[in-house]
Amino acid sequence: MKTKAALSAAILSALAIGSSYAAVSSEEAAKLGTSLTAWGSEKQGNADGSIPEYTGGMTKPPANYVAGSGKWVDPFADEKPLFTIDSKNISQYADKVTPGVQELIKRWPDSYRVNVYTTHRTYPQMSAERAAATLKNATNPECKTVSNGVGLSGCVGGIPFPIPKDGYEVMWNHLLRERMPGGFEGRGTNLVVDAAGNLANPQHFSLYSDYPYWSGGGDYYFHSMTNTLAPARDSGNKILLWYPLRYDEKDQRSWSYSTGQRRVRLAPEFSYDTPITPLGGVLYFDEANMFAGRMDRFDFKLVGKKEMYVPYNAYAAVTAPIDTMIGKKHVNPDVVRWELRRVWVVEATLKSGMRHAASKRNYYVEEDSWSIVASEGFDQAGKVFRVLLANTGANYVSGMGGVDFVSSLAGYDLARGGYTVVASQGDPKAYYKPIDKLPANVFTPEAMAGRGVR
């Protein structure tokens, strides 16, 4: 009760401060914390109850979770699918299944399927402090996108656009979705399966990331340092990335370190549709984390909100043993959990005169988490050639006020064949741990050649 009272007081206080200069109307702002959650999702369920009411999310770990282990367990491991969507009945569900997933079913009619489970709204309740910051952003005319959506200015400490007005605002909500203020450390595996169904040598890596936007601000909203552990020929290779808020004024900063060359070099090519070499070229750099980078080559149109079947609460897909998860043509459908969710649909169309391998992309942004949970890319002929599916699960360890999502990503290259699974936790040595604070020098070029992050 105290928590709810504090949250309500924070929301009312922020509304009183910001309403006279509201970027959204006072009527719209008044919905935050009432009919909408503090961060903008609809509290009520849908008409038939297949999407339930939001009641605070999951804030306690399952009984079999071992505290401090970094080993996530599935809270819904005992549940069975409600039904399955496959080549035999896809026509019944076409309006609720993305074009990309429909293409996967069409391509592999005998094996690809979607197992649909009960929808659980697990996303943990936002803290009163962050709720107030979110409302302040919504009602502050200085919190806005700039340069036709390319940059972000004047927003801090909360979701920037809980009541979005265009596609750029939705995409910025994804880029700045709520995270642990101190960041996280982890170890995972990237997997690549070629067109013939052969699994390449897995890339094992360690990763450190932080999110300055959620811990006091700064020019950059995200830092990451990835260190390759195996295969042996690549061990010690590192990639450092900084993503800025003012993309209209600053470039993304990228560095690479190669143990063979023993030097750090700037890597400005790590952007847009440059293939990610360790992933067999199946993903581009702007497909990392479903989307990353500058929004200057596409027009991002907000289509609206829609109920769709997407991967969600997919803890099993994140943590499944590699030999269980990997199939010859696609990820084993039996490890992936799909739920009916409300998603914001954003259509990105290549601007005239701009160059990119994709002519159009669709993004599906889940309403509770502001995470892109699915996307597809269309080639210059208008055919689906890329399908990305995120496997996400709420951080039940951090609880209220420190939210992050443990996740992995499955990406399919339908033009050349083959697929990748990024950040699998299926290896016995894998872990994922939110942490309070990382030393600042972890995310510097000077640290890349050292032993501190090996």
Side-chain angles (χ1 to χ4, degrees):
M1 294 297 292
K2 290 182 179 179
T3 299
K4 290 184 178 179
L7 178 59
S8 298
I11 290 172
L12 290 173
S13 174
L15 183 59
I17 293 171
S19 60
S20 61
Y21 302 98
V24 299
S25 69
S26 58
E27 290 80 8
E28 288 177 306
K31 295 177 182 178
L32 295 172
T34 55
S35 61
L36 301 178
T37 65
W39 56 98
S41 58
E42 297 177 46
K43 280 189 175 179
Q44 68 179 13
N46 64 355
D48 64 5
S50 53
I51 296 176
E53 177 187 5
Y54 181 81
T55 57
M58 181 184 295
T59 57
K60 294 182 179 179
N64 57 339
Y65 172 76
V66 178
S69 68
K71 297 285 189 180
W72 296 80
V73 296
D74 184 358
F76 310 114
D78 294 333
E79 292 190 357
K80 304 298 182 185
L82 300 174
F83 59 92
T84 296
I85 302 171
D86 57 22
S87 60
K88 299 180 183 65
N89 62 2
I90 182 60
S91 60
Q92 296 175 232
Y93 301 100
D95 64 328
K96 287 185 168 62
V97 177
T98 69
V101 173
Q102 292 183 51
E103 186 65 28
L104 297 182
I105 291 175
K106 179 181 177 181
R107 180 158 297 208
W108 300 298
D110 297 329
S111 58
Y112 196 88
R113 59 189 177 275
V114 169
N115 293 327
V116 178
Y117 291 76
T118 300
T119 297
H120 297 286
R121 297 185 71 178
T122 51
Y123 195 81
Q125 172 70 56
M126 182 177 279
S127 70
E129 179 182 12
R130 290 184 171 188
T134 297
L135 185 60
K136 185 174 181 180
N137 286 338
T139 56
N140 177 11
E142 298 305 313
C143 173
K144 59 189 177 183
T145 63
V146 291
S147 299
N148 297 316
V150 174
L152 188 85
S153 177
C155 313
V156 66
I159 298 298
F161 307 109
I163 304 177
K165 302 301 183 183
D166 60 39
Y168 294 93
E169 292 186 351
V170 172
M171 297 301 286
W172 273 109
N173 283 351
H174 163 74
L175 294 174
L176 301 178
R177 60 199 185 277
E178 191 177 14
R179 301 296 191 111
M180 289 292 290
F184 72 88
E185 63 173 305
R187 178 169 174 163
T189 306
N190 295 330
L191 306 163
V192 178
V193 178
D194 66 21
N198 301 310
L199 176 64
N201 288 330
Q203 181 202 25
H204 300 283
F205 65 89
S206 62
L207 174 68
Y208 295 85
S209 295
D210 77 348
Y211 312 97
Y213 178 85
W214 289 99
S215 59
D219 294 336
Y220 294 86
Y221 68 86
F222 176 73
H223 302 128
S224 74
M225 173 78 85
T226 304
N227 176 42
T228 299
L229 304 173
R233 67 175 183 272
D234 299 323
S235 180
N237 292 350
K238 301 180 181 71
I239 294 177
L240 173 62
L241 298 172
W242 297 2
Y243 291 147
L245 291 165
R246 291 301 301 267
Y247 263 114
D248 56 320
E249 296 180 347
K250 295 178 179 291
D251 288 329
Q252 170 186 313
R253 304 297 303 277
S254 309
W255 296 266
S256 67
Y257 173 78
S258 168
T259 53
Q261 297 178 350
R262 294 189 178 276
R263 68 184 183 91
V264 175
R265 69 175 185 87
L266 285 169
E269 73 276 13
F270 289 176
S271 60
Y272 297 117
D273 55 353
T274 300
I276 302 176
T277 302
L279 301 181
V282 175
L283 291 189
Y284 303 135
F285 271 93
D286 66 1
E287 292 175 323
N289 296 310
M290 302 298 286
F291 176 78
R294 179 182 274 137
M295 287 184 279
D296 62 336
R297 296 195 179 182
F298 291 81
D299 288 314
F300 290 83
K301 175 186 175 183
L302 179 57
V303 177
K305 189 183 284 187
K306 187 176 182 181
E307 294 181 9
M308 303 197 77
Y309 295 110
V310 293
Y312 206 83
N313 288 316
Y315 297 91
V318 177
T319 60
I322 292 171
D323 58 354
T324 300
M325 175 174 45
I326 293 298
K328 287 284 186 180
K329 302 173 182 177
H330 49 71
V331 169
N332 177 4
D334 291 332
V335 305
V336 184
R337 180 189 182 95
W338 299 71
E339 295 183 359
L340 184 65
R341 315 294 304 192
R342 285 186 290 241
V343 297
W344 294 95
V345 182
V346 176
E347 182 181 273
T349 305
L350 188 64
K351 292 181 178 180
S352 177
M354 289 290 187
R355 186 203 62 79
H356 197 281
S359 66
K360 189 179 79 168
R361 286 167 162 172
N362 293 330
Y363 297 97
Y364 305 90
V365 185
E366 196 274 326
E367 67 167 345
D368 285 339
S369 63
W370 288 111
S371 292
I372 298 174
V373 289
S375 75
E376 62 257 340
F378 299 80
D379 63 18
Q380 303 305 317
K383 295 181 179 180
V384 175
F385 80 109
R386 189 74 112 241
V387 180
L388 274 63
L389 299 169
N391 299 308
T392 58
N395 182 348
Y396 46 65
V397 178
S398 64
M400 189 178 71
V403 175
D404 194 55
F405 255 44
V406 59
S407 64
S408 69
L409 182 163
Y412 295 90
D413 183 344
L414 301 184
R416 299 186 307 150
Y419 71 96
T420 182
V421 175
V422 180
S424 164
Q425 295 283 298
D427 182 80
K429 295 181 180 179
Y431 67 90
Y432 175 99
K433 295 180 181 180
I435 55 180
D436 292 333
K437 189 173 180 61
L438 282 164
N441 64 2
V442 167
F443 303 108
T444 63
E446 293 76 16
M448 295 185 75
R451 293 181 177 271
V453 296
R454 283 186 66 94

